Amino acid sequence: MKVIILGGGITGLSAALKLAEKGITDIEVLEENNYVGGLAASVKIDGNIFDYGPHAYHSNTTEILLKLKKLAGDNFVELKKNVKIKFRGKYYKYPLEAIDIVFKLNPFLAIACIVNYIYVNIKNNFIKGKIKSTEDWLVKGFGKTLYNIYFGPYTQKVWGIKPSQLSPLFAMHRIPHTSLITVAAKSFLKGVKKLTHKEHKYSPLVIEFFYPKNGAGFIPNQMAKIISENKGKISLNSKMIGLNIEDKKVKSVICKTADGIKEIKGDYYISTIPITDLISYLKPLPPNNITSLSENMFYRAIVVVCLLINKPKVFDAEWIYFTNRTFNRLSDIRNCGAINAIQEGKTGLMAEITCNFGDDIWNTDKNILCHKVIRELEEEGFINKNDVLKYDILKVKNGYPVYDLDYEVRMEKITKYIENISNLFITGRQGLFKYVDMDVAVEMGETVADHILNKKSKNEISKIPFEEKLYA
């Protein structure tokens, strides 16, 4: 049995690793980049390690967490989550806490936030209004005042569209809905006793997480190493350009490599690449009603400005969210736990910017964009421009799947079409168009591998409620 895996991100590697562990040696992972890991990769810049933003490891599935710990060995650092938000000129704990809001926000605005929050929570007990968008979900959960001053503007900044145009599933699955009243009542308790992992059905709060000492990419690199040791093949710089379909089966994959165009045949094919790309690669192309559906689905691109700072520490948090800067999130890779990533006495900052592929941000000259971020960090009081020893940028074309109002309907029809191709499986964040964290991505890959090994029905996979897993 030969299994071809399209995409060497964390999901594809997890599938390959599970197959290799079960004795399947004829495995080939096709990755278009010259590295593995996808968004979980680490990159060296002048000998210092940077990630595509912080990618912490955590899981409420014991088996997955144990697997990650085994892969990391003694390379894992365990941390208590310390995340901040800056809006209206001050820093707040994230998730938001009522006590923090009361003491830091303008008193009149703070009272308005708390009163409105209490009002909507009382109202929700009597009126179960229909939630049609992310805006509806946020207003119902936090009140209109908090929505207007933080959640609404920040969501639109990150995703590029109004919250009223985003599916409510985005907020439901990605934004921890902390009970401000519960947290206020527990405000005199210390540490993790303030919070529980069960605050919210879909997005329980991640309080502790693990991070590899040498950057998030240590885990996918370890996966790739073990796959290779088990006679699996990792083919880098392999850009897929077509999948030949005959009699509702994939017969071969066509990819472009440094050695030219290659045709590779297998028995099973696992795709973790963006579903929009996969549909366009199928030969013959699907009917217009399927291709048009995929053409209207899109991913948010990511640009990460990486800065090496001549200071031992810039701030205490792992990362900080911003509403009024070019970047959405600023993180310190050493604070996140990658204690060996940056040379002693220096700090590695990662400023994440979301944009659309091909827009002004994406096409901005590297020097111009980096200097703009440096100026903003000076204005924040974090650094002086003379502290910057080195800067560079990392880019990801397909970063975050955008949950617009109709994406579920489109994805359901696309999934049903793919289910009819008997030996083709789609999975992962990009393949299933699900905004999941790395532990869930690992579980997705292992699930597909398990289905192949045990010859289970394909349509069982699409019914697994991956969104109900743990999110950061």
Side-chain angles (χ1 to χ4, degrees):
M1 177 171 70
K2 181 168 185 177
V3 182
I4 306 297
I5 298 173
L6 312 178
I10 202 86
T11 303
L13 293 171
S14 297
L17 184 58
K18 180 69 176 282
L19 291 167
E21 289 173 341
K22 296 298 182 180
I24 306 300
T25 57
D26 205 354
I27 304 165
E28 185 166 3
V29 179
L30 303 176
E31 169 55 51
E32 70 173 318
N33 293 307
N34 62 356
Y35 57 86
V36 296
L39 276 173
S42 294
V43 177
K44 276 195 174 183
I45 300 175
D46 274 11
N48 295 278
I49 296 172
F50 290 87
D51 293 339
Y52 288 84
H55 290 280
Y57 290 87
H58 53 83
S59 182
N60 63 343
T61 303
T62 302
E63 183 182 347
I64 297 297
L65 187 57
L66 289 175
K67 181 157 199 162
L68 292 171
K69 287 183 176 181
K70 184 178 179 181
L71 285 165
D74 61 358
N75 202 271
F76 256 167
V77 172
E78 184 174 6
L79 293 172
K80 296 287 190 294
K81 195 171 183 182
N82 176 21
V83 175
K84 302 287 178 64
I85 299 169
K86 186 177 185 185
F87 67 97
R88 300 242 164 186
K90 293 183 180 179
Y91 294 94
Y92 298 82
K93 295 177 183 178
Y94 182 80
L96 292 174
E97 295 188 6
I99 296 298
D100 218 20
I101 293 171
V102 167
F103 283 105
K104 292 181 181 177
L105 202 58
N106 173 289
F108 296 104
L109 193 54
I111 292 170
C113 287
I114 300 301
V115 169
N116 191 227
Y117 175 84
I118 293 171
Y119 165 75
V120 296
N121 275 269
I122 293 173
K123 179 182 175 182
N124 291 341
N125 290 325
F126 298 97
I127 302 174
K128 305 294 183 183
K130 190 171 182 180
I131 298 177
K132 298 179 180 179
S133 68
T134 282
E135 179 178 328
D136 294 341
W137 190 91
L138 288 169
V139 170
K140 184 176 181 179
F142 295 98
K144 192 72 175 178
T145 308
L146 268 175
Y147 172 82
N148 286 336
I149 67 173
Y150 174 68
F151 288 106
Y154 184 77
T155 301
Q156 183 165 347
K157 177 177 186 286
V158 173
W159 296 94
I161 59 176
K162 294 179 179 180
S164 60
Q165 298 303 307
L166 283 172
S167 166
L169 286 178
F170 162 74
M172 187 183 295
H173 296 152
R174 295 304 307 183
I175 300 175
H177 183 190
T178 313
S179 169
L180 297 182
I181 296 172
T182 299
V183 173
K186 295 180 178 181
S187 62
F188 295 103
L189 297 176
K190 293 183 179 181
V192 298
K193 292 181 180 179
K194 284 186 179 183
L195 305 169
T196 75
H197 288 285
K198 299 179 181 178
E199 292 281 347
H200 182 218
K201 177 182 177 183
Y202 293 100
S203 296
L205 302 176
V206 176
I207 302 169
E208 300 104 352
F209 64 84
F210 296 92
Y211 213 97
K213 296 176 184 177
N214 297 311
F218 182 83
I219 296 292
N221 288 338
Q222 284 294 97
M223 288 180 170
K225 179 183 176 183
I226 296 171
I227 293 164
S228 297
E229 289 173 348
N230 282 272
K231 300 182 181 179
K233 186 176 181 181
I234 309 288
S235 298
L236 302 177
N237 299 307
S238 298
K239 166 71 174 172
M240 199 183 78
I241 57 176
L243 263 80
N244 293 318
I245 312 295
E246 292 180 22
D247 300 324
K248 295 185 178 181
K249 287 186 70 175
V250 179
K251 294 298 182 182
S252 65
V253 58
I254 309 297
C255 59
K256 185 178 180 181
T257 72
D259 298 323
I261 305 298
K262 288 187 177 180
E263 181 177 13
I264 305 170
K265 295 183 178 181
D267 299 300
Y268 292 96
Y269 298 79
I270 300 173
S271 175
T272 68
I273 64 174
I275 187 64
T276 49
D277 289 346
L278 178 69
I279 293 298
S280 69
Y281 295 149
L282 297 179
K283 300 181 184 301
L285 279 172
N288 286 338
N289 63 318
I290 299 299
T291 56
S292 62
L293 288 173
S294 68
E295 287 167 357
N296 287 315
M297 299 173 73
F298 64 100
Y299 298 80
R300 196 76 161 137
I302 307 169
V303 177
V304 183
V305 174
C306 301
L307 303 166
L308 181 64
I309 309 298
N310 192 23
K311 295 174 69 173
K313 186 177 279 288
V314 174
F315 50 80
D316 291 326
E318 285 113 25
W319 58 84
I320 306 171
Y321 296 103
F322 290 85
T323 58
N324 64 337
R325 294 299 181 186
T326 302
F327 45 90
N328 312 320
R329 179 167 63 167
L330 179 69
S331 53
D332 177 329
I333 191 168
R334 185 182 284 117
N335 286 358
C336 290
I339 57 178
N340 295 337
I342 305 297
Q343 59 186 282
E344 284 298 321
K346 309 294 187 291
T347 295
L349 297 181
M350 302 173 294
E352 299 164 71
I353 305 166
T354 50
C355 61
N356 292 326
F357 175 70
D359 69 7
D360 289 344
I361 290 289
W362 183 269
N363 291 324
T364 298
D365 176 80
K366 178 179 79 172
N367 295 315
I368 293 173
L369 185 60
C370 289
H371 281 105
K372 183 176 184 180
V373 169
I374 290 168
R375 284 196 303 273
E376 292 183 355
L377 293 178
E378 281 190 295
E379 291 167 4
E380 288 292 331
F382 289 140
I383 64 169
N384 182 288
K385 64 181 179 181
N386 296 324
D387 295 326
V388 180
L389 300 174
K390 175 74 178 179
Y391 61 76
D392 209 338
I393 63 171
L394 307 175
K395 288 185 175 183
V396 180
K397 177 183 175 183
N398 298 298
Y400 305 131
V402 178
Y403 287 16
D404 66 11
L405 294 176
D406 298 321
Y407 94 95
E408 282 183 282
V409 175
R410 297 192 197 106
M411 197 59 204
E412 183 179 1
K413 292 178 179 178
I414 291 171
T415 300
K416 286 183 177 179
Y417 180 83
I418 297 296
E419 283 177 359
N420 290 322
I421 305 173
S422 62
N423 62 343
L424 175 61
F425 294 80
I426 53 174
T427 191
R429 176 188 282 198
Q430 316 300 7
L432 281 176
F433 208 80
K434 292 181 184 291
Y435 188 0
V436 298
D437 284 345
M438 288 188 295
D439 62 310
V440 182
V442 169
E443 193 170 349
M444 284 178 162
E446 293 201 341
T447 299
V448 172
D450 182 65
H451 275 63
I452 290 174
L453 289 164
N454 295 290
K455 295 183 169 30
K456 294 182 181 179
S457 170
K458 273 186 64 178
N459 59 20
E460 291 178 29
I461 299 175
S462 61
K463 296 176 183 177
I464 297 173
F466 286 114
E467 281 92 345
E468 294 189 23
K469 303 296 181 180
L470 193 61
Y471 293 83

PDB file of all heavy atoms in Angstrom, residues 186-194:
ATOM      1  N   LYS A 186     -14.349  35.571  41.733  1.00  0.00           N
ATOM      2  CA  LYS A 186     -13.147  34.831  42.112  1.00  0.00           C
ATOM      3  C   LYS A 186     -11.887  35.705  42.056  1.00  0.00           C
ATOM      4  O   LYS A 186     -10.776  35.211  42.082  1.00  0.00           O
ATOM      5  CB  LYS A 186     -12.955  33.638  41.158  1.00  0.00           C
ATOM      6  CG  LYS A 186     -14.053  32.598  41.261  1.00  0.00           C
ATOM      7  CD  LYS A 186     -13.787  31.455  40.283  1.00  0.00           C
ATOM      8  CE  LYS A 186     -14.844  30.376  40.403  1.00  0.00           C
ATOM      9  NZ  LYS A 186     -14.605  29.250  39.481  1.00  0.00           N
ATOM     10  N   SER A 187     -12.090  37.006  41.980  1.00  0.00           N
ATOM     11  CA  SER A 187     -10.966  37.907  41.726  1.00  0.00           C
ATOM     12  C   SER A 187      -9.919  37.901  42.842  1.00  0.00           C
ATOM     13  O   SER A 187      -8.783  38.295  42.621  1.00  0.00           O
ATOM     14  CB  SER A 187     -11.469  39.341  41.515  1.00  0.00           C
ATOM     15  OG  SER A 187     -12.120  39.802  42.679  1.00  0.00           O
ATOM     16  N   PHE A 188     -10.304  37.464  44.032  1.00  0.00           N
ATOM     17  CA  PHE A 188      -9.338  37.463  45.124  1.00  0.00           C
ATOM     18  C   PHE A 188      -8.553  36.156  45.209  1.00  0.00           C
ATOM     19  O   PHE A 188      -7.656  36.014  46.021  1.00  0.00           O
ATOM     20  CB  PHE A 188     -10.046  37.750  46.455  1.00  0.00           C
ATOM     21  CG  PHE A 188     -10.629  39.130  46.506  1.00  0.00           C
ATOM     22  CD1 PHE A 188     -11.989  39.324  46.343  1.00  0.00           C
ATOM     23  CD2 PHE A 188      -9.803  40.244  46.672  1.00  0.00           C
ATOM     24  CE1 PHE A 188     -12.529  40.599  46.369  1.00  0.00           C
ATOM     25  CE2 PHE A 188     -10.337  41.519  46.696  1.00  0.00           C
ATOM     26  CZ  PHE A 188     -11.703  41.704  46.543  1.00  0.00           C
ATOM     27  N   LEU A 189      -8.923  35.203  44.388  1.00  0.00           N
ATOM     28  CA  LEU A 189      -8.146  33.969  44.315  1.00  0.00           C
ATOM     29  C   LEU A 189      -6.916  34.203  43.466  1.00  0.00           C
ATOM     30  O   LEU A 189      -6.865  35.111  42.648  1.00  0.00           O
ATOM     31  CB  LEU A 189      -8.995  32.842  43.703  1.00  0.00           C
ATOM     32  CG  LEU A 189     -10.233  32.429  44.506  1.00  0.00           C
ATOM     33  CD1 LEU A 189     -11.017  31.382  43.725  1.00  0.00           C
ATOM     34  CD2 LEU A 189      -9.844  31.884  45.867  1.00  0.00           C
ATOM     35  N   LYS A 190      -5.916  33.390  43.631  1.00  0.00           N
ATOM     36  CA  LYS A 190      -4.675  33.575  42.894  1.00  0.00           C
ATOM     37  C   LYS A 190      -4.517  32.535  41.800  1.00  0.00           C
ATOM     38  O   LYS A 190      -5.006  31.419  41.894  1.00  0.00           O
ATOM     39  CB  LYS A 190      -3.477  33.512  43.834  1.00  0.00           C
ATOM     40  CG  LYS A 190      -3.417  34.679  44.827  1.00  0.00           C
ATOM     41  CD  LYS A 190      -2.168  34.592  45.687  1.00  0.00           C
ATOM     42  CE  LYS A 190      -2.099  35.768  46.645  1.00  0.00           C
ATOM     43  NZ  LYS A 190      -0.871  35.711  47.479  1.00  0.00           N
ATOM     44  N   GLY A 191      -3.784  32.932  40.753  1.00  0.00           N
ATOM     45  CA  GLY A 191      -3.375  31.996  39.709  1.00  0.00           C
ATOM     46  C   GLY A 191      -4.541  31.368  38.973  1.00  0.00           C
ATOM     47  O   GLY A 191      -5.580  31.989  38.746  1.00  0.00           O
ATOM     48  N   VAL A 192      -4.379  30.075  38.640  1.00  0.00           N
ATOM     49  CA  VAL A 192      -5.354  29.402  37.790  1.00  0.00           C
ATOM     50  C   VAL A 192      -6.663  29.117  38.500  1.00  0.00           C
ATOM     51  O   VAL A 192      -7.639  28.724  37.872  1.00  0.00           O
ATOM     52  CB  VAL A 192      -4.778  28.075  37.243  1.00  0.00           C
ATOM     53  CG1 VAL A 192      -3.568  28.328  36.392  1.00  0.00           C
ATOM     54  CG2 VAL A 192      -4.442  27.122  38.377  1.00  0.00           C
ATOM     55  N   LYS A 193      -6.722  29.333  39.816  1.00  0.00           N
ATOM     56  CA  LYS A 193      -7.973  29.101  40.529  1.00  0.00           C
ATOM     57  C   LYS A 193      -9.055  30.082  40.078  1.00  0.00           C
ATOM     58  O   LYS A 193     -10.241  29.852  40.292  1.00  0.00           O
ATOM     59  CB  LYS A 193      -7.753  29.241  42.044  1.00  0.00           C
ATOM     60  CG  LYS A 193      -6.890  28.131  42.633  1.00  0.00           C
ATOM     61  CD  LYS A 193      -6.741  28.309  44.132  1.00  0.00           C
ATOM     62  CE  LYS A 193      -5.871  27.208  44.734  1.00  0.00           C
ATOM     63  NZ  LYS A 193      -5.685  27.384  46.186  1.00  0.00           N
ATOM     64  N   LYS A 194      -8.628  31.177  39.474  1.00  0.00           N
ATOM     65  CA  LYS A 194      -9.602  32.142  38.972  1.00  0.00           C
ATOM     66  C   LYS A 194     -10.445  31.562  37.843  1.00  0.00           C
ATOM     67  O   LYS A 194     -11.583  31.937  37.631  1.00  0.00           O
ATOM     68  CB  LYS A 194      -8.889  33.390  38.425  1.00  0.00           C
ATOM     69  CG  LYS A 194      -8.358  34.334  39.465  1.00  0.00           C
ATOM     70  CD  LYS A 194      -7.821  35.566  38.763  1.00  0.00           C
ATOM     71  CE  LYS A 194      -7.285  36.582  39.751  1.00  0.00           C
ATOM     72  NZ  LYS A 194      -6.833  37.808  39.063  1.00  0.00           N
TER      73      LYS A 194
END
